[in-house]
Amino acid sequence: MVQQEAVIVKNATKSYGKGQSVLNGLNMTVSRGSIYGLLGASGCGKTTLLSCVVGVRYLDSGEIWVLGGNPGSKGSGIPGPRVGYMPQEISLVGEFSVNDAFYYFGRINGLDDEEIETRQRFFSDLLQLPPADRLVKNMSGGQQRRVSFAVALIHKPELLILDEPTVGLDPILRENIWNYLIQITQQEGITVLITTHYIEETKDAHKIGLMRCGKLLAESAPQKLLERFQCSFLEEAFLKLCEAQNNTLNNEAERFKMEDASSNVLCQTEYEQTRAISEYKEVSKRQISRLKIFKALLAKNGLQYLRYYSGLIFAVLFPIIQILVFIMAIGDDPKDLKIGVVNDEAGTCGYGSNLGNVWNDEITCHFGNLSCRFLHNFDDSIATQEYYDTVSEASQAIQNGKLSGLMYFNQNFSETLQKRIEEGTFTEDSDLLASEIQVFLDMGDRQIGLFLQIKLFERFLEIYEDIMKDCKYSPKLADPPIRFEDPIFGTTDLNYADYVTPTYMLTVIFFLATTVSTALIITDRSEGVWNRSVVQGVKAEDILLSHVLIQSISIAIHTAMIVLIFFPIWGLECKGSIFTVIVLTFLVGFCGLMHGFIISVMCKNHTMANYCSAGSFFPLIVTSGCIWPVEGMPEGLRWFSYTLPTTLPSISLRGIIYKGYSISESQVYIGFLLSTGWILCSFMVTILGVRSKSS
């Protein structure tokens, strides 16, 4: 009966980028119930080969058979619990305790809690593991590696793949590990495929493969290899094989390799013919409930979230700080402004003692020093008044940045204003000009200039109306020939903060969620936890969905905080349904979460992800209507803006808050539709991105 092989690799080729060949026609055979030592320098392709064996990556060409099936094919059980995998990196969650690591890997491999506890006690004694409550991030490198080794073995896999498991361990512990590996291969029939830098420690392996430049230079039992090359140490044999490969003159190594390769091909042919259906039956018995795996993922992500204390502080304090800064910084009238006054009629008005005169002799109304009345009522609530002797002197102060504007009163201001009222259309142009308060503003700062312009005009109308009352004229004479009635929506006293608030609310929650999710997948991948979980049969979709559910809690907290601060605390009045506001805000936060996942999938590291996140923030906030209405954009840019995740929802939110619209209004439900569409499309793009990373 032909001995069945655990792993067969035929003519394997794998390249990265253009012409960067990692595996180059490699052939390898690993027998069941044996220890196979894969040796080679860093960069020779060992890790890539192992990732293909466990089904995380795929060959460009060639074939791999593992435990009777092709990795990744239906019913093969690989990726899955049939294999135990310890990557070269630690590949553990830093927020895990020893206990958490055992429970996570035990549960995703189908063990119940009692089995996990039993295995944990065994490995704690065997490997001298740190205390069960010690966090991984607080362990030494050697302790982390021991825990990583233990969790790879917890479920007693048929095939155990170990990538540099003994790096950094003391010699006694390395010997204990090798003794245990020999024991499980002999007593339990487990197959071990191990890579190591310590070439001499593989003397206890049943077979070793010497790998260089993507090929196996030789594959044989260690003792047989030493005899073949008449060496005392495996390192010497490896050096001779390297020389033979370099010089291509020594055919001994090639002949030896071909002899082993021919026997391997024979084994492969017979093995392929006798791949047993019973093996697939064995796999079906070991299939694990997807729900159980998902619960383990939720527990893992929850622990990461709760034990990442700086992240929790950020999640709670950052939105509060952002909103409070907005409330204090946006919308209030500018303060500490200065405006120059040049009054040729009454000078400094006695610095407030001269308030002007208005009297009526029952025939006509008379004005005296009326400029002082205007100046007194303008007061410092708009801007602090500073007196100058000439217009040129005040203009120079504006040019030097000392003033925001100046007001000029002609020496005949009161007299000509009286003529203007009495003579109407017969008033001369010179008198009309002299009756005006001439205001020169610094419009280099447009917002301050517009503020002064509006406030001075409004205050002038109020004062002028009072003057008409003192003259016993109709106050309506002071009204301009246009009247703004009570608005249909909103109030006349809404300020810029009221306009910005709906968009700001959605922008804040969008980028809070983006900031959090941007790092999640990158962190899982960089720590190696993602691939290690996938090797054990965890679906990428389940990992992503578990992150989504855990982070949804964060979005719900942010939504509650934003709504609470803006409405009950700040006093923003919502004329529509507050529940609709909450739902829409949560949906936009969810859009931000998915936006961050796309960035996390597409970027290789945190630095690039942060660049992408910050780079997307500024165009989004500029085109969302937060700073300026979208109606002010060119038509093409406006339509592009409508497709962004915050523009239409902001218009919807403004309609709910200020107009009292319900979700049945098109202006409202279109924001809900856009948000839902963004979430679904982003989720699909993320899934496709995750899958493409595995190729």
Side-chain angles (χ1 to χ4, degrees), residues 47 57 85-92 141 144-145 148-149 163-165 167 524-529 531-532:
T47 299
R57 289 191 176 95
Y85 180 50
M86 177 187 175
Q88 192 170 357
E89 302 81 14
I90 299 300
S91 301
L92 296 174
Q144 291 175 340
R145 191 162 291 278
S148 180
F149 174 76
D163 196 358
E164 307 284 356
V167 171
D524 270 6
R525 286 190 176 280
S526 62
E527 290 181 348
V529 180
N531 280 350
R532 189 165 189 176

Side-chain angles (χ1 to χ4, degrees), residues 339-443:
I339 189 167
V341 177
V342 179
N343 190 351
D344 288 344
E345 181 184 53
T348 63
C349 296
Y351 292 103
S353 61
N354 184 354
L355 301 181
N357 297 303
V358 177
W359 70 95
N360 193 311
D361 60 5
E362 296 183 358
I363 297 174
T364 186
C365 193
H366 300 277
F367 300 147
N369 289 335
L370 204 59
S371 58
C372 295
R373 179 161 180 167
F374 279 107
L375 288 171
H376 175 74
N377 285 280
F378 282 148
D379 62 47
D380 291 343
S381 63
I382 298 175
T384 303
Q385 298 173 19
E386 293 187 359
Y387 288 92
Y388 289 83
D389 295 328
T390 65
V391 171
S392 61
E393 185 182 350
S395 297
Q396 185 64 42
I398 294 175
Q399 293 175 13
N400 293 336
K402 298 179 180 179
L403 301 175
S404 298
L406 73 90
M407 292 186 292
Y408 171 69
F409 293 87
N410 190 278
Q411 63 180 355
N412 299 321
F413 174 72
S414 297
E415 179 184 346
T416 54
L417 184 60
Q418 182 178 343
K419 287 183 180 181
R420 184 181 189 132
I421 295 172
E422 293 176 352
E423 299 177 7
T425 58
F426 300 102
T427 309
E428 296 181 1
D429 288 347
S430 59
D431 290 335
L432 289 174
L433 180 62
S435 68
E436 295 175 346
I437 304 174
Q438 298 178 41
V439 181
F440 304 87
L441 296 174
D442 176 9
M443 295 303 290

Side-chain angles (χ1 to χ4, degrees), residues 158 180 196 210 240 395 621 654:
E158 298 176 53
Y180 180 69
T196 179
L210 302 178
K240 289 186 178 182
S395 297
I621 198 170
R654 193 173 289 115

Side-chain angles (χ1 to χ4, degrees), residues 61-112:
S61 64
E63 293 180 280
I64 293 182
W65 295 98
V66 181
L67 301 178
N70 189 272
S73 63
K74 186 176 181 180
S76 67
I78 296 175
R82 299 185 76 188
V83 65
Y85 180 50
M86 177 187 175
Q88 192 170 357
E89 302 81 14
I90 299 300
S91 301
L92 296 174
V93 177
E95 289 71 28
F96 271 179
S97 65
V98 175
N99 204 43
D100 298 328
F102 273 96
Y103 272 95
Y104 173 68
F105 285 99
R107 285 167 177 168
I108 65 173
N109 284 295
L111 302 184
D112 58 38

Side-chain angles (χ1 to χ4, degrees), residues 66 76 171 224 376 491 593 611 664 687:
V66 181
S76 67
K224 187 175 181 182
H376 175 74
T491 61
L593 186 72
Y611 286 155
S664 60
I687 290 294

